[in-house]
């Protein structure tokens, strides 16, 4: 019998449920496959640096599989529709009896898998696994069997279910017996723009696991105090690995439990605080399954679609370029543009600035983030944007608007983060760093730094009026 493991966003051999199941029968011939779909990725706005991250992990995966006697086949199709047709023929040609894959929950991915199962049903058995989440979508619901719309009760229910569920991590499969040396074909680079990923994120699941281990050993205790400070490396920086499945959430949970056995009891500690973020990740994925409209550019709260967004291409560009004249916003955007990663606090600040100060449609921000992020993930990104825009479930009410100056003062008091990314402000003293033009005027200095693109106090009023008018129109 031939078992085919179709890798998608689960680029690892440890704790991979589909791979593990495919290897259980020692007699089976096991082969693996990855299909690149550049046109589809374009539609999904995938960042060129994320494509590179995938490509490099695919090479690592090919090695790891070959050491276990499993050949990785690689093919490129334009989009999902084409991949279904191609895969059907591939299964025929390779005489595949059983297909193993880990589920993806975004709407196009779900449709693709349903279409595939339909066309190969006669000849191939399909085994799909819930692997990228601690608990499958639909398994954490209210008394009425509905998905929660608010995070805190979701988390409560989630944690009580989690303790009953099997969240053990699975080992990597052992080497197959009686197979010859696996041929390693060169994996052609994807027909997609590929960008440098810098040095912040090492390649390979071992590197990701090491980072996880040292974070849980050495840093997680201080997570609550440090997580909001962009000048400090206080968070795990594991999101790029989780987004493409180089690391599983079970591996995160189990490592956390090993290093901090009291995590579930000590709910005011750093370890619980970190677990809480893993649960946010789950919440957003459960949401897109319960409300697929979230994958279709729709807001969760429908009346918010009546907001009359401003058409302000120059201000949008200034936001993208990190040239808004608000130092914390600009530093954050420049970090994103240069590295593909940004602190969560900063993501909230820049999202609020785009939507609530510039009154620009949140979809512009969502799309731009996707095009830059190394950890781009539809559910988390959409969830974050709709939270910031007050259009989603559990959103901050629309009248809660961040003040970008005071946010900077609170979370980057001495301006260390700002100075690292906005060299034009190098001479501005600490206490003036959040309002550099005031300082420049007082000291008759000329700054090579833009004036604020908008006045926050006025913008705040306009935004409140725009949201109120939209609500009244509904
Ligand atoms: P840690 O603080 O160490 O958290 C551990 C893990 O938990 C993260 O790696 C991530 O997988 C998950 N996580 C943490 N916070 C959140 C959250 N608020 N929502 C969902 N999952 C979370 N995260 C992405 O992975 N991809 C995105 O495309 C993305 N877009 C975002 C857009 C906006 C506007 C906002 C406000 C948040 C977004 N986030 C996104 C969530 C969060 O900012 C990042 O996951 C986090 O900053 C990654 O850093 P870390 O790995 O050090 O996180």
């Amino acid at each position: 019998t031939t078992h085919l493991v179709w890798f998608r966003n689960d680029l690892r051999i440890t704790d991979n449920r589909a791979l593990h199941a495919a290897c259980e029968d020692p007699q089976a011939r096991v082969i693996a496959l990855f299909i690149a779909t550049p046109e589809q990725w374009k539609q999904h706005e995938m960042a060129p640096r994320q494509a590179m991250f995938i490509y490099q992990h695919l090479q690592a995966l090919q090695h790891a599989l070959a050491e276990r006697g499993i050949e990785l086949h690689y093919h490129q199709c334009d989009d999902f529709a084409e991949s279904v047709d191609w895969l059907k023929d591939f299964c025929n040609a390779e005489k595949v009896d059983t297909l193993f894959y880990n589920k993806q929950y975004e709407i196009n991915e779900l449709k693709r898998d349903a279409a595939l199962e339909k066309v190969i049903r006669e000849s191939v058995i399909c085994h799909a696994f819930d692997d990228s989440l601690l608990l499958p979508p639909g398994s954490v619901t209210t008394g009425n069997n509905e998905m929660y719309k608010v995070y805190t009760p979701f988390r409560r229910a989630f944690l009580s279910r989690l303790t009953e569920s099997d969240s053990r991590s699975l080992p990597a499969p052992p080497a197959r017996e009686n197979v010859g040396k696996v041929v390693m074909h060169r994996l052609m680079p994807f027909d997609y723009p590929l960008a440098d990923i810098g040095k912040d994120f090492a390649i390979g699941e071992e590197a990701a696991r090491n980072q996880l281990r040292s974070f849980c050993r050495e840093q997680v205790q201080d997570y609550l105090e440090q997580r909001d400070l962009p000048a400090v490396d206080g968070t795990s920086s594991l999101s790029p690995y989780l987004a493409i499945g180089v690391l599983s959430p079970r591996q995160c949970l189990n490592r956390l439990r090993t290093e901090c056995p009291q995590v579930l009891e000590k709910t005011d500690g750093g370890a619980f605080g970190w677990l809480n973020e893993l649960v946010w990740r789950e919440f957003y994925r459960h949401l897109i399954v319960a409300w697929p409209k979230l994958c279709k550019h729709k807001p969760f709260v429908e009346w918010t679609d009546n907001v009359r967004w401003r058409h302000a291409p120059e201000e949008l560009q200034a936001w993208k370029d990190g040239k808004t004249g608000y130092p914390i916003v600009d530093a954050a955007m420049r970090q994103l543009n240069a590295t593909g990663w940004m602190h969560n606090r900063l993501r909230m600040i820049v999202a609020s600035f785009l939507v609530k100060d510039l009154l620009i449609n949140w979809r512009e921000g969502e799309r731009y983030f996707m095009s830059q992020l190394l950890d781009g993930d539809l559910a988390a990104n959409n969830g974050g944007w709709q939270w910031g825009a007050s259009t989603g479930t559990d959103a901050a009410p629309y009248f809660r608007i961040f003040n970008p100056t005071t946010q900077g003062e609170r979370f980057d008091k001495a301006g260390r983060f700002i100075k690292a990314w906005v060299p034009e402000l190098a001479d501005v003293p600490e206490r003036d760093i959040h309002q550099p033009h005031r300082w420049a005027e007082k000291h008759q200095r000329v700054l090579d730094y833009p004036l604020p693109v908008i006045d926050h106090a006025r913008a705040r009023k306009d935004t409140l009026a725009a949201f109120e008018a939209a609500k009244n129109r509904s």
Side-chain angles (χ1 to χ4, degrees), residues 223 235-239 274 277 341 344 347 375 377 381:
Y223 183 71
T235 67
S236 70
S237 300
L238 289 170
S239 51
W274 195 63
E277 297 308 317
W341 190 84
N344 183 59
R347 295 188 204 210
D375 65 18
D377 171 86
N381 193 42

Side-chain angles (χ1 to χ4, degrees), residues 84-226:
V84 168
D85 294 339
W86 184 84
L87 191 46
K88 178 174 169 250
D89 295 342
F90 179 80
C91 287
N92 272 336
E94 291 291 331
K95 303 199 167 37
V96 172
D97 302 285
T98 314
L99 172 68
F100 297 78
Y101 67 84
N102 292 316
K103 289 184 203 166
Q104 291 181 286
Y105 304 106
E106 299 87 348
I107 192 156
N108 292 338
E109 283 75 353
L110 286 172
K111 281 186 181 157
R112 172 200 59 197
D113 294 347
L116 177 72
E117 294 214 3
K118 205 163 150 201
V119 295
I120 60 175
R121 192 163 49 196
E122 308 278 292
S123 50
V124 181
I125 300 166
C126 293
H127 286 314
F129 296 82
D130 287 297
D131 171 83
S132 73
L133 287 167
L134 295 169
L135 292 174
S139 67
V140 182
T141 50
T142 65
N144 291 336
N145 260 341
E146 283 166 5
M147 172 58 189
Y148 289 90
K149 294 177 186 168
V150 178
Y151 174 72
T152 311
F154 172 83
R155 183 183 73 191
R156 207 174 300 125
F158 184 93
L159 292 177
S160 80
R161 280 232 46 196
L162 186 64
T163 43
E164 301 154 8
S165 72
D166 179 6
S167 45
R168 278 172 303 179
S169 303
L170 300 166
R176 313 291 303 160
E177 282 176 12
N178 309 322
V179 288
K181 198 169 154 33
V182 170
V183 242
M184 296 259 293
H185 299 287
R186 186 173 121 74
L187 300 177
M188 293 304 284
F190 311 141
D191 203 357
Y192 195 81
L194 296 170
D196 188 23
I197 52 168
K199 294 194 171 48
D200 292 347
F201 297 94
I203 299 301
E205 51 188 293
E206 205 180 319
R209 284 202 307 275
N210 289 342
Q211 193 170 312
L212 168 67
R213 190 183 314 112
S214 67
F215 175 77
C216 289
R217 270 190 195 158
E218 291 149 28
Q219 286 182 284
V220 83
Q221 299 81 353
D222 302 324
Y223 183 71
L224 292 181
E225 295 78 43
Q226 302 204 326

Side-chain angles (χ1 to χ4, degrees), residues 7 12-15 19-20 23 26 28-31 60-72 171-182 184 205-206 209:
F7 284 89
R12 64 179 188 283
I13 57 161
T14 19
D15 193 34
L19 175 66
H20 191 268
C23 293
R29 167 181 171 247
V30 179
I31 55 175
L61 181 71
Q62 184 188 32
H63 264 273
L65 288 170
E67 279 172 5
R68 284 159 177 79
I70 300 171
E71 183 178 351
L72 177 71
R176 313 291 303 160
E177 282 176 12
N178 309 322
V179 288
K181 198 169 154 33
V182 170
M184 296 259 293
E205 51 188 293
E206 205 180 319
R209 284 202 307 275

